[in-house]
Amino acid sequence: MKKSKLSILSVLMLALALFLAACGGGGNDEGETNGDTGGDDASNENGGEEAEAEEDVPDFLSMLTGGTGGTYYPLGGEMAQIITSETGIQTDSPSSNASADNVISLQEGEAELAFVQTDVIAFAKEGINAFEGNPVDNVLAIGSLYPETVQIVTTVDSGIESVADLAGKKVSVGAPGSGTYINAEQIFEAYDMTMDDVDAQHLDFDESTGGIQDGNIDAAFITAGTPTGAVEGLGATADVYVVPIEQDKIDAIIEEYPYYAEDTIPAGTYTGIDEDIKTVAVLAMLAVTDSLSEDVVYDITKAIYDNADTITHSKGEFITPETGVEGIGIDFHPGAERYFKEAGVLD
């Protein structure tokens, strides 16, 4: 009986040993399963990285343009549609006070993209003029777009034929610190004039041409791509005259401020313009905050420059990969840089 009990005990102990061994084996399997779970964790981690990458792609972008009477606004509207269509990121193109204010909005995180003048963004980076004591270090370049012509607009009947004739007149020079205002200051400088020599008015483009039409002001500085909507509107009621800049003054301006280029407003651009008008121009460019990822900015850049031929605005013809790298005085965003290198136009 005792022997029988011992046999039963032995069997039970053997069964227990086998059970424990099985548990140990199960532990190995579990280790592998944990390895798989680790794989799942890794997969979850990768999924987390993918989710994080997806989070880097915004649902919405704001691209600041300019006044409704300028070039930025209508061109920006078309470009926003292209970005939305090609990238899937809903992009709007609100009007704004243009270059200087646009840069500040980018600096403060109120928008992701903006039209700016190449000279204004250079001032922002250096912390001079409108950015005195407040240099901007979070804004990068996507690329140049087209020449922005400095137009000193009046009417044929005004009797104003030269920059010197503006002395003592009511002249719209744009908002203080704006790109247009700085252009006016620098052109006056070439003529040994200052803002004190005119009765300076700080109006947007539509207000400027409306003021000329109503007789409330005599002339206006308008820096924008030609033809400019506000000036075309003036041409509907009066013969437009754009004050030329003499060649020696053009040369002096470019020597002092190399971001300018000589430009010509062709005869027939506006009603009343029956001969070519010599002036200067800066470049319009698209700027971006450094908060956007390389991939997102690459997609935006590719969308714009690969589809510029679909833009109906007359300035669309200037937007090419080759011209996109011209006149840029600040660093490109890595995404834009990648696009232009792939296009073979940037080393």
Side-chain angles (χ1 to χ4, degrees):
M1 186 71 179
K2 186 183 289 186
K3 185 175 180 182
S4 175
K5 286 181 179 179
L6 287 172
S7 297
I8 292 170
L9 182 61
S10 297
V11 170
L12 289 172
M13 290 181 68
L14 179 61
L16 178 62
L18 290 171
F19 175 77
L20 291 174
C23 287
N28 288 337
D29 287 343
E30 187 179 346
E32 291 176 8
T33 302
N34 281 341
D36 290 341
T37 302
D40 288 342
D41 286 343
S43 177
N44 288 338
E45 184 178 337
N46 290 336
E49 289 174 0
E50 288 174 7
E52 185 177 343
E54 287 177 3
E55 288 174 5
D56 286 341
V57 179
D59 295 324
F60 179 82
L61 292 171
S62 182
M63 180 172 66
L64 301 177
T65 57
T68 56
T71 302
Y72 287 175
Y73 184 72
L75 179 60
E78 290 197 63
M79 288 171 55
Q81 290 177 358
I82 289 172
I83 295 170
T84 299
S85 173
E86 294 296 319
T87 70
I89 304 172
Q90 180 62 44
T91 305
D92 76 349
S93 53
S95 62
S96 72
N97 289 327
S99 289
D101 279 359
N102 286 359
V103 175
I104 292 170
S105 293
L106 292 179
Q107 181 186 36
E108 295 179 352
E110 296 172 355
E112 293 76 31
L113 305 163
F115 280 70
V116 299
Q117 290 177 200
T118 51
D119 54 338
V120 172
I121 194 65
F123 303 149
K125 285 291 187 178
E126 295 175 34
I128 60 174
N129 292 323
F131 306 92
E132 188 72 44
N134 183 34
V136 175
D137 61 4
N138 67 329
V139 178
L140 299 167
I142 282 185
S144 294
L145 300 172
Y146 62 88
E148 284 199 88
T149 306
V150 181
Q151 306 166 77
I152 307 173
V153 179
T154 184
T155 64
V156 171
D157 293 337
S158 70
I160 298 171
E161 297 181 352
S162 69
V163 174
D165 291 339
L166 296 174
K169 300 292 195 299
K170 286 185 177 181
V171 182
S172 177
V173 294
S178 68
T180 299
Y181 184 92
I182 293 166
N183 299 150
E185 277 190 319
Q186 292 167 341
I187 289 170
F188 283 150
E189 180 185 313
Y191 283 84
D192 297 320
M193 296 171 64
T194 69
M195 287 292 178
D196 293 336
D197 291 311
V198 301
D199 183 357
Q201 308 291 308
H202 307 294
L203 309 175
D204 67 25
F205 294 167
D206 282 324
E207 292 169 338
S208 294
T209 53
I212 293 171
Q213 181 178 328
D214 296 339
N216 295 324
I217 65 172
D218 301 297
F221 280 80
I222 293 179
T223 301
T226 57
T228 307
V231 184
E232 288 181 310
L234 176 62
T237 60
D239 285 339
V240 172
Y241 183 72
V242 179
V243 178
I245 300 176
E246 290 85 352
Q247 187 64 53
D248 62 325
K249 305 300 185 185
I250 290 173
D251 294 341
I253 292 166
I254 294 172
E255 182 176 359
E256 184 68 21
Y257 305 104
Y259 42 75
Y260 281 101
E262 183 174 338
D263 199 11
T264 299
I265 301 172
T269 299
Y270 303 115
T271 303
I273 303 294
D274 54 10
E275 59 182 19
D276 292 351
I277 303 292
K278 281 191 173 184
T279 183
V280 291
V282 290
L283 287 172
M285 63 172 283
L286 194 62
V288 61
T289 64
D290 60 9
S291 62
L292 292 183
S293 71
E294 177 178 333
D295 287 343
V296 168
V297 175
Y298 172 85
D299 289 343
I300 291 169
T301 310
K302 183 176 178 63
I304 293 169
Y305 288 91
D306 281 5
N307 294 280
D309 59 348
T310 67
I311 294 174
T312 61
H313 192 284
S314 61
K315 292 305 172 189
E317 66 180 292
F318 292 94
I319 303 174
T320 68
E322 291 75 19
T323 59
V325 298
E326 294 178 356
I328 299 294
I330 64 171
D331 291 337
F332 284 98
H333 190 287
E337 184 176 27
R338 174 161 43 117
Y339 169 80
F340 288 121
K341 283 184 175 178
E342 288 181 2
V345 295
L346 196 64
D347 296 330

